[in-house]
Amino acid sequence: MVTFPNAKINLGLRITRKRTDGYHDLETIFLPIGIHDALEILPAPGSDLPLLTESGLPVAGDPDQHLCRKAWNLLKRECPQLPTVRMHLHKTIPMGAGMGGGSSDGASTLVMLNDLFQLGLTRDRLSELALQLGSDCPFFILNKPCLAKGRGELMIPVNSGAVSSGAVYSGAVNCELLNCELVVVHPGVHVSTKQAFAGVKPSDEGPSLEGSIKAPMSAWRDLIRNDFEPSVFAAQPVIGQIKDLLYAKGA
């Protein structure tokens, strides 16, 4: 089985509170975009542990902490009948770019294993498991434009009449997303999630993203904020320069 885990971007990001469990409460719009990795999973009878090989962009860090391998381990505890597998990941989504590539790979592994071996887990349960991999992993189970709150796991689909299962909010959010051209610029700068959050001073002051996103897109520039920008722009000025250039070009 082969699938193509996609990246995402955030439309706005408000970090509203530092929680007692060490995580942050936030408000953002998750938007899936058409930049993909490629992931293949095949049964590997006779093996004791899953085999993971990679190509494309190198993935740094402890191989045992790779989200594809962690996803298999997580699902094996949930479903002991899960057999061992051979996985190959071709990496093209840039890392440290806020595009969620690793989270997408981990969430896609859960979905693929569930489908390939007919484990029968619901999307709700897959989302609960995905949250154990990372705060934005449940989004990639839903994988539709949505307003996210909490750690990112409480989601309301955007421009849809249905609420994602398990969400504590009701209704749907409408915003101006149709007939737009999306430009993504990656300057080769790596900013870790830990670095990004370290520079944030949580605050729930100012207009909510849920309200601001309903305004015409022409007003978003003045209404919508990304709380990572002040500290990240200070540390990596080229990112702020790119934003200024895009605005100068009519974004």
Side-chain angles (χ1 to χ4, degrees):
M1 177 181 285
V2 178
T3 193
F4 300 92
N6 59 274
K8 59 85 177 167
I9 62 169
N10 296 69
L11 300 181
L13 177 64
R14 299 176 73 244
I15 311 299
T16 58
R17 183 174 70 97
K18 179 71 177 288
R19 296 160 42 140
T20 56
D21 60 6
Y23 291 99
H24 292 80
D25 281 335
L26 56 82
E27 186 184 31
T28 190
I29 297 284
F30 285 134
L31 182 66
I33 62 174
I35 299 174
H36 303 85
D37 291 338
L39 178 63
E40 180 182 40
I41 299 181
L42 297 171
S47 301
D48 294 327
L49 295 172
L51 174 66
L52 174 64
T53 56
E54 297 174 308
S55 57
L57 297 174
V59 180
D62 182 353
D64 289 336
Q65 296 303 308
H66 196 291
L67 287 183
C68 292
R69 184 173 280 113
K70 290 181 71 173
W72 183 90
N73 290 332
L74 192 62
L75 210 51
K76 180 68 172 178
R77 292 195 293 270
E78 180 81 5
C79 302
Q81 73 272 27
L82 178 69
T84 52
V85 295
R86 183 170 72 251
M87 297 182 280
H88 182 81
L89 176 66
H90 182 74
K91 192 72 182 165
T92 62
I93 301 172
M95 288 152 283
M99 299 173 73
S103 297
S104 185
D105 297 335
S108 293
T109 301
L110 292 176
V111 173
M112 290 177 70
L113 291 172
N114 186 53
D115 293 345
L116 182 60
F117 298 107
Q118 299 180 356
L119 301 177
L121 298 179
T122 65
R123 282 300 189 265
D124 285 353
R125 184 56 185 151
L126 289 172
S127 294
E128 292 171 354
L129 293 171
L131 186 60
Q132 298 180 47
L133 296 176
S135 294
D136 59 352
C137 289
F139 160 70
F140 290 103
I141 303 295
L142 177 66
N143 212 22
K144 297 178 181 179
C146 62
L147 172 72
K149 294 187 178 183
R151 285 172 50 188
E153 83 282 15
L154 306 173
M155 293 174 286
I156 311 172
V158 168
N159 293 331
S160 168
V163 180
S164 64
S165 298
V168 298
Y169 308 101
S170 61
V173 177
N174 294 307
C175 70
E176 187 179 335
L177 289 174
L178 299 178
N179 303 316
C180 298
E181 181 178 1
L182 177 66
V183 176
V184 178
V185 181
H186 182 250
V189 173
H190 185 284
V191 179
S192 71
T193 302
K194 183 178 180 180
Q195 288 174 310
F197 275 102
V200 169
K201 295 180 180 179
S203 173
D204 61 359
E205 296 181 356
S208 72
L209 180 60
E210 185 172 358
S212 298
I213 204 72
K214 299 174 185 178
M217 188 176 292
S218 58
W220 287 5
R221 179 172 177 174
D222 298 319
L223 292 175
I224 295 176
R225 73 180 198 236
N226 186 318
D227 286 344
F228 285 160
E229 289 188 357
S231 59
V232 170
F233 287 2
Q236 301 288 351
V238 65
I239 303 177
Q241 293 166 7
I242 290 170
K243 180 180 179 181
D244 291 341
L245 177 61
L246 290 173
Y247 272 154
K249 295 293 184 180

